[in-house]
Amino acid sequence: MATKGVKEQTLVLIKPDAMQRGLVGEIVTRFEKKGLKLVGMKMMGLDEALLREHYAHIADKPFFPGLAKFMQGTPVIAMCWEGLEVVDAVRKITGITKARQAEAGSIRGDFAMSVSCNVVHASDSVENAEKEVKRFFKTDEIHNYDKSEYTHVYAADELV
Ligand code: UDP
Ligand code: MG
């Protein structure tokens, strides 16, 4: 899977709090308006094994059981977004973990108040993004297509 240049990819999850609060459209719109390309999208329930793998870096924390329960409260929407330095761009659009201190204008800054119920997940590095996209999507669930607006989103020398 090519993940360099404008083909860099990242994983975003729309979490159960956003599903319950009817924020799916708002969240997708933020990424679309930025000029990112949606190359994968599906609704799925997360089992304990997947959550342990996805949250391996915090699986031994006291808040993990509560987080796992929260993440299983509804299905989530998994999305793969593509673009130039997209991992970094999406983290900025997402905002910091503690949503009530996240910058206004970011998704968490505009739509959430909690540390746990913070509306979205976004991959935190190019290396982790590659692993996370593979964890949530089969190869044939990631789509390759031309986006006509790209010639307006990027300069010619960025489209490599
Ligand atoms: N989380 C939590 N309590 C904490 C820290 C994290 O419930 O004290 C949850 C929260 O939903 C967060 C997720 O665990 O988004 C993953 O934590 P991470 O540090 O990777 O933050 P993120 O990358 O999502 O900003
Ligand atoms: Mg993280």
Side-chain angles (χ1 to χ4, degrees), residues 39-98:
V39 295
M41 186 183 218
K42 64 178 175 183
M43 188 184 284
M44 60 192 289
L46 306 181
D47 63 28
E48 188 82 22
L50 182 69
L51 279 168
R52 280 201 173 273
E53 204 183 315
H54 179 63
Y55 284 137
H57 62 298
I58 48 173
D60 59 349
K61 301 273 188 208
F63 61 79
F64 180 77
L67 176 65
K69 194 169 174 221
F70 158 65
M71 289 298 291
Q72 292 178 305
T74 69
V76 301
I77 290 177
M79 300 182 285
C80 181
W81 291 94
E82 195 176 271
L84 187 59
E85 296 174 19
V86 73
V87 174
D88 192 39
V90 164
R91 282 292 285 193
K92 286 197 168 70
I93 295 167
T94 296
I96 62 165
T97 313
K98 189 176 181 180

Side-chain angles (χ1 to χ4, degrees), residues 4-160:
K4 291 208 162 56
V6 287
K7 295 274 187 192
E8 187 176 300
Q9 295 174 346
T10 194
L11 178 84
V12 173
L13 301 177
I14 301 183
K15 293 182 174 184
D17 54 331
M19 301 295 289
Q20 293 286 11
R21 295 174 55 208
L23 294 173
V24 175
E26 286 272 7
I27 291 165
V28 174
T29 298
R30 296 272 174 130
F31 297 118
E32 283 187 313
K33 284 189 174 167
K34 180 70 170 170
L36 307 184
K37 188 201 276 189
L38 184 61
V39 295
M41 186 183 218
K42 64 178 175 183
M43 188 184 284
M44 60 192 289
L46 306 181
D47 63 28
E48 188 82 22
L50 182 69
L51 279 168
R52 280 201 173 273
E53 204 183 315
H54 179 63
Y55 284 137
H57 62 298
I58 48 173
D60 59 349
K61 301 273 188 208
F63 61 79
F64 180 77
L67 176 65
K69 194 169 174 221
F70 158 65
M71 289 298 291
Q72 292 178 305
T74 69
V76 301
I77 290 177
M79 300 182 285
C80 181
W81 291 94
E82 195 176 271
L84 187 59
E85 296 174 19
V86 73
V87 174
D88 192 39
V90 164
R91 282 292 285 193
K92 286 197 168 70
I93 295 167
T94 296
I96 62 165
T97 313
K98 189 176 181 180
R100 56 187 171 272
Q101 287 180 0
E103 236 182 300
S106 68
I107 291 171
R108 286 170 172 170
D110 287 354
F111 298 124
M113 283 295 286
S114 168
V115 176
S116 302
C117 307
N118 54 12
V119 180
V120 282
H121 164 82
S123 306
D124 66 2
S125 67
V126 173
E127 194 191 350
N128 283 338
E130 283 195 35
K131 287 186 202 150
E132 291 181 358
V133 169
K134 286 191 183 118
R135 183 174 300 142
F136 283 83
F137 289 95
K138 299 186 190 110
T139 311
D140 65 359
E141 291 174 331
I142 299 295
H143 301 274
N144 188 18
Y145 63 97
D146 289 329
K147 200 159 196 278
S148 57
E149 71 168 25
Y150 258 30
T151 52
H152 304 288
V153 171
Y154 295 107
D157 64 348
E158 293 168 328
L159 278 172
V160 287

